[in-house]
Amino acid sequence: MTRSALLVGATGLVGGQLLARLLRDPRYDRVTVLARRPLGLRHPRLDARVVDFAGLKDGELPYVTDVFGALGTTIRQAGSQEAFREVDQHHTVRVAALAREAGAERIAVVSSVGAGSGSRAFYLRVKGDMEAEVTALGYPQTEFFRPSFILGRRPSHRRGEGLGGTAATVLAPLLAGPARPYRPVPAGRLAAAMIAALAEDRPGVHVRTHEDFLALAPEPAAADGA
């Protein structure tokens, strides 16, 4: 049976990798993308829509089987903690809720290692709150992916991330045992793991960390993060 996908965050690092893979995947006959600006991409199976995430209403989303959430920003880019929460939590939950109402059955969302509603760190607390709200929507299958540093060529440069990626790669072999979830992961491998997880069609709520990424997407990613 063919599937249809809804993707948010397609202009970002992981979202771009998801989009490329979903358009190549014969299991998906349609890929609907919601974005704040035009993608500048055409494909016979792509339905790209420019939307105002804050203004999405009931009935605006088409029926899809699978939802992929890769929305993300930084407090610096957003301009405030409130604006950051609006994107990383509220926009993600709003899309997930409307898609579920339209009949979606499976969802995979990028979160963060250490996410938790009780965390002292604001970033991790937002991610934990997002996970709790998405879980409450009652999808038959819910997958949360909790990466540490994500490697790859970002569409827009974020100050300090180039140096951070180099440091994360150098230090990765030292992150063993309980620290393994903090190892970096190429964006392409993370995207491939998200698609593979939903392909398993395994009911329940699952939290995926670094070892799961490797198991779900065993082939090494290319140097560019693909």
Side-chain angles (χ1 to χ4, degrees):
M1 182 179 294
T2 58
R3 300 186 178 198
S4 52
L6 176 69
L7 169 63
V8 289
T11 58
L13 178 58
V14 178
Q17 293 290 335
L18 279 167
L19 178 58
R21 282 165 170 72
L22 289 169
L23 291 176
R24 293 198 302 263
D25 195 320
R27 290 170 294 192
Y28 290 92
D29 61 3
R30 186 178 77 256
V31 179
T32 300
V33 172
L34 305 183
R36 290 177 295 178
R37 59 182 184 273
L39 294 181
L41 174 67
R42 292 183 180 273
H43 189 281
R45 290 189 288 122
L46 174 63
D47 176 12
R49 306 183 181 193
V50 176
V51 301
D52 171 14
F53 285 100
L56 285 173
K57 298 179 178 62
D58 292 348
E60 285 194 50
L61 301 190
Y63 167 73
V64 297
T65 60
D66 300 355
V67 179
F68 294 90
L71 284 174
T73 185
T74 65
I75 295 176
R76 181 185 180 87
Q77 283 186 322
S80 68
Q81 289 187 339
E82 292 75 14
F84 169 81
R85 186 184 286 275
E86 180 69 13
V87 174
D88 280 49
Q89 179 183 344
H90 299 321
H91 288 355
T92 296
V93 173
R94 184 176 294 111
V95 169
L98 293 176
R100 179 71 184 122
E101 289 176 6
E105 302 169 355
R106 294 170 287 268
I107 185 168
V109 183
V110 179
S111 183
S112 173
V113 64
S117 294
S119 175
R120 293 183 178 180
F122 176 77
Y123 176 85
L124 299 180
R125 195 160 63 248
V126 169
K127 294 295 187 182
D129 290 345
M130 177 273 292
E131 289 187 5
E133 289 195 64
V134 171
T135 298
L137 297 175
Y139 275 80
Q141 181 181 3
T142 300
E143 304 279 349
F144 294 117
F145 283 74
R146 293 183 176 180
S148 180
F149 199 92
I150 302 173
L151 304 173
R153 292 199 295 262
R154 285 167 168 77
S156 60
H157 178 69
R158 293 179 181 175
R159 185 178 180 182
E161 286 190 336
L163 180 59
T166 301
T169 302
V170 171
L171 294 174
L174 303 178
L175 300 174
R180 285 185 69 85
Y182 292 88
R183 289 190 172 193
V185 60
R189 198 160 193 178
L190 178 58
M194 293 173 72
I195 296 171
L198 293 197
E200 289 184 343
D201 202 12
R202 189 158 66 97
V205 178
H206 311 113
V207 175
R208 308 286 195 168
T209 56
H210 191 267
E211 293 304 300
D212 299 302
F213 309 158
L214 305 188
L216 287 164
E219 292 299 320
D224 65 355

